[in-house]
Amino acid sequence: MGSFASITLNGLTIQEWKNSWHRWYFRESERVRNVDENTGEFIFLGYRTTAGTIRKRLELDGFSYKHLENEFNEIRSKWIDMLESYNDEGFHQHELTILREHPNMQSWVDLLLTAQENEFSKNKNLGNNLLEFMLSEDFDEYPIYSAANFHFPCKTIESWAIAILSISPDDADIELDITELANAGWTDDFHDLAEIQAEKTYFLDNFIHFIDELIILPINLPEFHLMNRLAFSGVISAFEAYLSDTMKKQVMTRPAVKRRFVESHDKFSAKKFTLNDIFTKLDELDKLIMDELDFISFHNMNTIPELFNKVLFVEFPKKRISKLCEAVKKRHDIVHRNGRDTAGKLTNISKDDVMDLVELTKEVVFNIDRQILNLQKHIED
């Protein structure tokens, strides 16, 4: 048993995989994600673009109609030589005759759609010996296999695609469908598209769920000041986790962002090495970056807004930064001074203080998340 992925155009299969897939000539920007809202299963997950677009990409890579003709002639000639070499008293004479009688590739191409329509037909007497050969289950290509279906002679999937493209309009959809693989668990969802469709990132979702659980304490036990202080501190921790996770994901998954982080972060400017060490340093770079990201205090509102601006081009709401700084200072007293400031005065935190902080951090996080999603929408290949 297994699950399948395939590339199709004009009702014809260009390539098919079992329990795996390859992006081929599709681009990240051509991903499509449709989900059944009731079951959560994928209606379609994969890539979709036009035949004209794929044709241009193949031609730029050297796969033209002339290239297809060369492959056709080569494989057809090898099949004829193979059949002629068999000492079988004319057992393959019918196949040899057909291959010799049809040297014109266009006559094969013109029959592809008809072959597709009759692939599962019980009637094999179709009044056309070439069409009957294309649908034959008797012809054994071994050991010179074609990359195409219907015994169409060619060496590569790309040339087989050129054959199908030649009978397809430029605006026809060509699809790489990995839906079955995703529903069966053989491949992952397009998580960034899922976030865009949900209009929130995974990290924002985590933040919201944590906050919703956290505020149960001050709402239900408003007279317990210790609970209020714990909740207040927890809001800042959730805020910091959102900022940290967001920065790490963007830096570690997007090369341009990673480069900006390294070039703009002061800690890296002091590191020197010779060209002899360049590959060793490149091998170590991701670990160095992650170590530095782990070291950063993402609740430091004196430095983090500038970091987000330099690396992600994300702006913190300027009018909210001073309030965030005050809240972080209170959280520091709660965590490190048992709720007292440097003068020894107890920091009183009410239920309203907690709820105000929740609204403040939600406003800032939602603002940042919209900017992050906007960046993800414009990711180039």
Side-chain angles (χ1 to χ4, degrees), residues 239-294:
F239 178 61
E240 179 178 16
Y242 170 83
L243 297 177
S244 173
D245 290 342
T246 297
M247 179 61 72
K248 286 176 181 177
K249 178 186 175 182
Q250 296 299 317
V251 168
M252 300 309 295
T253 61
R254 299 178 63 185
V257 176
K258 181 185 292 186
R259 178 170 180 167
R260 282 200 299 274
F261 177 73
V262 172
E263 291 178 344
S264 65
H265 198 54
D266 292 340
K267 292 290 181 70
F268 291 104
S269 63
K271 297 183 182 295
K272 309 293 182 183
F273 59 88
T274 65
L275 285 176
N276 304 74
D277 298 324
I278 190 166
F279 290 106
T280 301
K281 295 300 181 184
L282 283 173
D283 290 340
E284 297 172 351
L285 183 58
D286 281 356
K287 184 179 184 305
L288 290 171
I289 291 172
M290 186 55 75
D291 287 346
E292 188 54 37
L293 286 167
D294 286 339

Side-chain angles (χ1 to χ4, degrees), residues 197-229:
Q197 290 173 348
E199 298 185 340
K200 59 183 177 182
T201 66
Y202 174 77
F203 300 131
L204 173 57
D205 207 36
N206 282 348
F207 173 81
I208 294 170
H209 284 307
F210 183 82
I211 292 296
D212 287 345
E213 291 180 358
L214 189 67
I215 60 176
I216 292 173
L217 292 173
I219 289 175
N220 292 297
L221 301 168
E223 69 278 9
F224 285 87
H225 298 295
L226 175 60
M227 294 297 182
N228 291 334
R229 290 200 294 272

Side-chain angles (χ1 to χ4, degrees), residues 29-44:
S29 57
E30 291 159 354
R31 292 176 299 165
V32 178
R33 180 183 186 273
N34 296 325
V35 178
D36 188 308
E37 294 182 0
N38 296 319
T39 66
E41 288 199 338
F42 296 107
I43 299 171
F44 180 87

Side-chain angles (χ1 to χ4, degrees), residues 24 28 40 42 50 61 67 69 86-87 95 100 109 123 137 141 158 174 187 205 207 230-231 255 278 317 322 338 343:
W24 199 54
E28 284 295 293
F42 296 107
T50 63
D61 225 9
H67 185 93
E69 285 183 319
Y86 294 154
N87 184 20
E95 295 162 344
R100 288 170 177 159
V109 171
N123 178 22
E137 297 177 0
E141 297 177 4
E158 288 73 23
I174 179 169
T187 193
D205 207 36
F207 173 81
L230 289 173
I278 190 166
S322 60
N338 197 27

Side-chain angles (χ1 to χ4, degrees), residues 6 16 46 84 86 102 118 143 148 156 170 175 211 214 224-225 236 255 270 290 305 309 316 340 351-352 360 371 376:
S6 61
E16 188 173 62
E84 288 177 341
Y86 294 154
H102 297 282
N118 289 276
T156 62
D170 276 353
E175 293 182 342
I211 292 296
L214 189 67
F224 285 87
H225 298 295
I236 295 297
M290 186 55 75
N309 184 247
F316 274 59
R340 298 180 182 273
K351 181 193 80 170
D352 290 340
L360 173 63
Q371 295 178 67
Q376 290 183 181

Side-chain angles (χ1 to χ4, degrees), residues 11 13 16 114-124 126 135 137 150:
T13 300
E16 188 173 62
T114 305
Q116 174 68 20
E117 292 169 1
N118 289 276
E119 183 176 11
F120 302 107
S121 172
K122 294 181 180 179
N123 178 22
K124 299 302 180 183
L126 301 170
L135 293 170
E137 297 177 0
F150 306 119

